Amino acid sequence: MSTWSSVSTATRRDNRMATQINQIDDPERRETIFRIEGEMFRADAELIGRIAADAHAASGHKIKIDLADLDFLDSESAGVLRKLGDDLVVEIIGTEIFLQSSVDKAERR
C-alpha cells in the first residue's frame, strides 16, 4: 500500500487540511483503489487524477477512487472527479457513505 498526502492551497477556516491518498493494489481483480481521506479541493482532485492515470498506465488495472472517508468536497473538485468518473477505467465509489456522513454531521449541529 502506498500513501500520499496533499495540503491544499485553498483554506477553510484559516487552516489547511491535508488530503491523504492511500493506494491499495489488488492484482487478482486487476484493480487499484485510491482511498481518500480529509478535505478535497480542486488541486487535490487534479493530483488524484494524475496519480490514477499514472497507476493505470503502469499496471493496466481498473482504477477506483473511494470517497467514503472524505470529510469535505468542494464544487470544483466534484467537477474534476465527475470527469474522472466519465473515464472508462476510473470508477468513483463510496459516495453514498460520504453523503450520509455529511448529512449526519449537519443534523448534529
Side-chain angles (χ1 to χ4, degrees):
M1 180 166 76
S2 300
T3 301
W4 293 272
S5 285
S6 167
V7 175
S8 178
T9 55
T11 59
R12 185 168 173 244
R13 291 192 190 151
D14 73 2
N15 62 346
R16 294 180 183 194
M17 298 296 293
T19 301
Q20 185 159 337
I21 307 163
N22 295 305
Q23 178 179 339
I24 302 149
D25 295 304
D26 188 343
E28 290 178 10
R29 293 185 179 172
R30 297 194 38 80
E31 68 183 21
T32 297
I33 301 170
F34 290 97
R35 186 165 292 141
I36 314 301
E37 299 175 34
E39 296 184 348
M40 186 183 302
F41 294 92
R42 182 184 183 130
D44 304 313
E46 290 170 344
L47 173 63
I48 291 163
R50 289 190 301 272
I51 292 170
D54 290 347
H56 175 70
S59 68
H61 288 180
K62 175 145 177 89
I63 304 297
K64 293 184 178 182
I65 299 174
D66 185 354
L67 304 180
D69 294 327
L70 202 59
D71 294 322
F72 175 80
L73 175 74
D74 76 353
S75 59
E76 289 183 341
S77 60
V80 171
L81 291 176
R82 168 99 199 304
K83 289 178 186 173
L84 289 174
D86 289 343
D87 188 341
L88 294 177
V89 298
V90 175
E91 179 182 358
I92 307 296
I93 62 173
T95 54
E96 299 86 0
I97 296 169
F98 167 66
L99 290 173
Q100 186 60 53
S101 295
S102 297
V103 169
D104 292 346
K105 287 177 189 174
E107 288 177 347
R108 284 193 294 260
R109 290 185 181 180

